[in-house]
Amino acid sequence: MILIVDDDDSVTASLGLLLRQHGHETGTAGAPDAAVAAIEARRPDLVLQDMNFSLGTGGEDGLALLGRIRARWPDLPVILITAWGSIPLAVRGMKAGASDFVSKPWSNTQLVQAVDTALALAATRAAEGKPASRRELDAHHDFSGLVGQDPRFLRILELVGRVAPTDASVLITGDSGTGKELIAEAIHRNSRRIGKPFVKVNLGGVSSTLFESEMFGHVRGAFTDARENRRGRFEVADQGTMFLDEIGDLDASSQVKLLRVLQDRSYEVLGSSSTRTVDVRVVSATNRALPDLVAKGIFREDLYYRLNLISIRLPSLAERRGDVPLLAATFLERAARQNAREAPRLSHRAVDWLQSRPWPGNVRELRQTIERAVLVLDGDLLDAEHFRALDDLERSTGRDETLPAPGAMTLPEMERAMIEKCLRYYDGNVTRAAEALGLSRAALYRRLEKHGLDVP
Ligand SMILES: Nc1ncnc2c1ncn2[C@@H]1O[C@H](COP(=O)(O)OP(=O)(O)OP(=O)(O)O)[C@@H](O)[C@H]1O
Ligand SMILES: [Mg+2]
């Protein structure tokens, strides 16, 4: 049962009708005290509450009611209905423990989606208990390609299994190479949107001037270079999942534009006046500390709350060392297959050595270390000394021996080759490649443009 709390009868009536049409049972209360009494009488599954019950419009009444509900029924999901444009209030509500917020005038689809998502999440939280075993998780979900048995990793898979079927927006954080993109793909694969588009956008590579054209598309003639119509990423992702990678690098003006489409689920194609609606599930990822960026005013708080209904933090590989042997064995098999050779075995000392490493590049670095070992070492047993030798080689050959002979390459050619090598080495990760090249991200993008190299 959903309890609708609003002092405007026409609002409770239209909300009640809408929710009953979507199969929900509803109850109403016209004021905070009546709402608390109603909950005491019969605990609803969710409360949908307005923020103003007296002449004041500051929303303090609503926050007070939310506080009373939170104090007595900590697990009862509450969705706030806020007046248009009162995002700061909604953000205060989210901080005070609201599950979500919808702004008036609301879109029925969005409101029903928010209610269904909050109910589904509450049900999954209630089901939370001893972490399921990897076998149980694989029996119920498709986690193929995701290697790991560590309890922390299993808890993440369990959470993915629970939230994937909902439409909740998910924010994935974790250091570089921890598997954020793999988890994003798994969320899509285990959602009702499987079979629909999974559109990945590397926001770090989208400049503020190109943001609208990239995300919303443009019609021919919308700006000088717009020689033909172009579909935007949101249009391509419609009905599917939008993966917003490196969300922490989004500039301020693009943040506003992104917030709007996430809030209203509608946008305008550049150069056209018609409004399009879109139905996407949003998953975003970053290796930056978004709460710090919010505290510094670099990242919008309201956008943060829109993206972060569910947050998943991926542990670094050093935090789940128990998974190193399994991951190493998987990558060994895979690399051997790719090189059409028998997979060498790993000696105990090799496993100990691999488990003792700090792995700053996390799983990606482990994968590359194994791939390099398979490439350069023959014989059917890989021992610690092999990896040590490889590691030394990697460290020593950094400089002179690998420089081309004088006259063999021009400086621009060397720059281009080095940029390509770094992008390959870091799997197209611009942040890591820029770091390794001693460049800022912007400087690297300029060089990519200069050399006519594709932005990964
Ligand atoms: N649990 C895992 N099982 C198997 N492979 C994994 C796992 N986690 C990561 N990998 C592999 O490690 C590499 C890096 O993973 P991914 O690209 O998802 O990392 P990321 O967190 O998005 O990194 P970045 O922040 O640098 O973009 C990929 O090749 C991926 O296949
Ligand atoms: Mg990534």
Side-chain angles (χ1 to χ4, degrees):
M1 188 269 281
I2 297 175
L3 180 67
I4 304 164
V5 188
D6 198 305
D7 54 355
D8 181 336
D9 293 349
S10 64
V11 171
T12 45
S14 63
L15 282 175
L17 182 64
L18 173 67
L19 292 169
R20 284 193 299 279
Q21 279 166 348
H22 284 81
H24 296 290
E25 188 196 343
T26 62
T28 63
D33 290 346
V36 172
I39 300 172
E40 274 161 358
R42 181 181 165 204
R43 185 188 186 285
D45 303 305
L46 181 138
V47 174
L48 191 54
Q49 65 150 100
D50 189 21
M51 298 299 282
N52 295 299
F53 298 96
S54 60
L55 291 177
T57 57
E60 299 309 323
D61 320 345
L63 287 173
L65 172 59
L66 174 63
R68 287 167 73 184
I69 294 174
R70 270 287 145 272
R72 293 187 57 188
W73 300 279
D75 303 329
L76 178 54
V78 176
I79 296 182
L80 307 176
I81 312 174
T82 58
W84 171 236
S86 64
I87 298 297
L89 178 65
V91 169
R92 283 176 63 199
M94 294 298 284
K95 280 186 173 164
S99 317
D100 200 350
F101 63 92
V102 284
S103 327
K104 282 178 185 168
W106 61 80
S107 94
N108 287 349
T109 330
Q110 200 205 345
L111 187 124
V112 171
Q113 220 169 37
V115 165
D116 290 345
T117 302
L119 286 171
L121 291 177
T124 63
R125 286 207 184 96
E128 221 165 51
K130 190 173 82 37
S133 71
R134 180 71 206 232
R135 183 191 293 269
E136 283 162 337
L137 289 167
D138 289 334
H140 294 98
H141 310 287
D142 172 2
F143 291 137
S144 50
L146 277 160
V147 178
Q149 301 266 4
D150 180 280
R152 255 171 302 241
F153 191 71
L154 292 183
R155 275 213 177 283
I156 288 170
L157 294 186
E158 202 180 6
L159 179 58
V160 169
R162 276 191 267 119
V163 301
T166 74
D167 260 345
S169 56
V170 180
L171 174 65
I172 309 168
T173 57
D175 294 344
S176 185
T178 49
K180 297 183 289 296
E181 187 162 337
L182 276 192
I183 292 286
E185 289 163 356
I187 290 173
H188 176 72
R189 236 184 10 256
N190 290 282
S191 78
R192 63 180 175 80
R193 294 167 185 266
I194 183 167
K196 300 281 171 33
F198 174 79
V199 174
K200 171 187 166 183
V201 187
N202 179 334
L203 289 172
V206 180
S207 68
S208 55
T209 43
L210 287 178
F211 183 82
E212 281 170 293
S213 159
E214 182 74 25
M215 303 306 279
F216 309 140
H218 62 245
V219 294
R220 202 158 63 89
F223 50 88
T224 346
D225 287 342
R227 293 194 192 82
E228 55 198 22
N229 294 346
R230 184 180 188 280
R231 296 176 78 206
R233 298 299 186 102
F234 274 102
E235 184 183 340
V236 178
D238 194 31
Q239 306 302 314
T241 302
M242 175 70 91
F243 176 40
L244 302 171
D245 201 5
E246 308 212 19
I247 186 85
D249 298 325
L250 197 60
D251 63 273
S253 70
S254 304
Q255 289 180 30
V256 179
K257 293 165 189 159
L258 179 62
L259 177 65
R260 180 156 166 250
V261 61
L262 297 186
Q263 213 137 274
D264 307 346
R265 306 279 156 168
S266 68
Y267 62 92
E268 277 84 39
V269 176
L270 215 54
S272 112
S273 52
S274 66
T275 298
R276 297 257 181 103
T277 59
V278 66
D279 172 13
V280 287
R281 199 261 184 90
V282 175
V283 176
S284 42
T286 181
N287 48 24
R288 304 179 71 176
L290 275 191
D292 295 357
L293 297 181
V294 168
K296 290 188 197 122
I298 298 169
F299 200 84
R300 294 182 64 99
E301 194 166 31
D302 41 13
L303 179 58
Y304 175 64
Y305 280 108
R306 269 271 158 244
L307 297 168
N308 181 32
L309 228 58
I310 295 287
S311 54
I312 297 179
R313 189 193 81 81
L314 293 181
S316 65
L317 188 52
E319 290 173 90
R320 55 181 190 121
R321 284 182 193 288
D323 279 340
V324 168
L326 201 56
L327 285 159
T330 308
F331 296 143
L332 210 53
E333 281 295 325
R334 215 185 278 172
R337 227 182 7 256
Q338 276 156 6
N339 294 286
R341 58 166 285 184
E342 276 298 304
R345 286 170 299 112
L346 282 174
S347 73
H348 290 300
R349 279 194 307 262
V351 173
D352 292 349
W353 186 87
L354 291 170
Q355 268 189 308
S356 68
R357 310 294 297 163
W359 298 118
N362 295 292
V363 185
R364 177 182 291 117
E365 190 185 355
L366 172 62
R367 195 202 73 212
Q368 288 166 343
T369 301
I370 298 288
E371 285 170 355
R372 256 196 318 278
V374 170
L375 267 181
V376 298
L377 299 164
D378 49 25
D380 58 2
L381 180 69
L382 279 178
D383 201 353
E385 85 221 20
H386 292 130
F387 285 107
R388 245 183 250 110
L390 204 59
D391 204 42
D392 296 345
L393 188 70
E394 189 59 25
R395 249 194 287 273
S396 68
T397 58
R399 295 264 166 246
D400 199 36
E401 289 85 11
T402 55
L403 282 174
M409 277 177 104
T410 65
L411 267 184
E413 284 166 355
M414 279 181 70
E415 181 179 80
R416 183 191 162 99
M418 196 59 205
I419 290 174
E420 286 180 314
K421 179 170 183 172
C422 281
L423 284 172
R424 255 197 322 278
Y425 184 83
Y426 292 112
D427 257 0
N429 183 294
V430 174
T431 311
R432 304 286 325 265
E435 256 165 42
L437 290 161
L439 295 172
S440 71
R441 294 169 49 74
L444 179 53
Y445 280 117
R446 279 195 297 277
R447 279 173 176 73
L448 290 174
E449 218 161 326
K450 182 178 97 185
H451 292 292
L453 290 168
D454 290 337
V455 174

